[in-house]
Amino acid sequence: MNKTLIKILKLNPDDENEATLEIGGFPIRCFIGHCPNAINEGEEHLVELTMYFEDDYKAVEAPERQPYMKNTNNGFSVEIAGHLDSNSLRSITILDDEDIHYDHPELNDKFIIVYADRLQVDFD
């Protein structure tokens, strides 16, 4: 379990499960999975980030070795570029690989782009 320092940029007043966070300098819309205490825009927190995938998710070798994250639609879908290193994806933060290395063994130890259904944030 890796903890990541984030800053809360925006909380959706119409959806308590949606927050836009600054992660490694990138604004990312995330799904709030666990949040036992009140949070406010502008605050910084150490959180756990988890990638969630559809059964037929896409992962490909990246043409460039530049880590990034970006939302791909108006929902929670996110494109993540980073180095797949056994059981972690080293992007703008280190994420557990959620079995990408099993589903795509040909991408192990390579710089990849993976398309996640959502990036979930869990606050302590």
Side-chain angles (χ1 to χ4, degrees):
M1 174 180 354
N2 297 308
K3 296 286 186 173
T4 300
L5 182 65
I6 60 90
K7 182 176 182 178
I8 301 170
L9 297 178
K10 183 179 178 188
L11 297 170
N12 185 337
D14 299 321
D15 183 351
E16 66 184 20
N17 292 319
E18 181 182 321
T20 301
L21 309 176
E22 182 180 304
I23 305 170
F26 292 83
I28 304 294
R29 193 171 34 265
C30 297
F31 180 85
I32 300 172
H34 179 73
C35 187
N37 301 306
I39 56 174
N40 298 295
E41 293 175 359
E43 293 178 343
E44 291 186 346
H45 293 268
L46 269 178
V47 299
E48 182 178 345
L49 297 171
T50 307
M51 297 179 290
Y52 283 87
F53 299 104
E54 296 287 334
D55 289 339
D56 60 346
Y57 73 95
K58 182 179 174 185
V60 297
E61 191 168 352
E64 298 179 19
R65 299 182 63 83
Q66 182 66 38
Y68 67 85
M69 286 185 189
K70 67 179 181 180
N71 289 104
T72 59
N73 60 23
N74 290 330
F76 296 111
S77 297
V78 63
E79 177 180 316
I80 303 169
H83 185 263
L84 182 60
D85 182 16
S86 295
N87 59 356
S88 65
L89 180 61
R90 297 176 183 279
S91 182
I92 57 174
T93 188
I94 299 173
L95 300 163
D96 288 338
D97 87 328
E98 306 303 331
D99 293 336
I100 298 169
H101 70 284
Y102 290 120
D103 295 339
H104 298 279
E106 73 281 4
L107 297 176
N108 279 328
D109 203 30
K110 293 187 178 174
F111 206 86
I112 69 167
I113 298 172
V114 66
Y115 300 86
D117 185 48
R118 74 174 190 235
L119 190 63
Q120 179 171 304
V121 59
D122 292 312
F123 293 84
D124 286 336

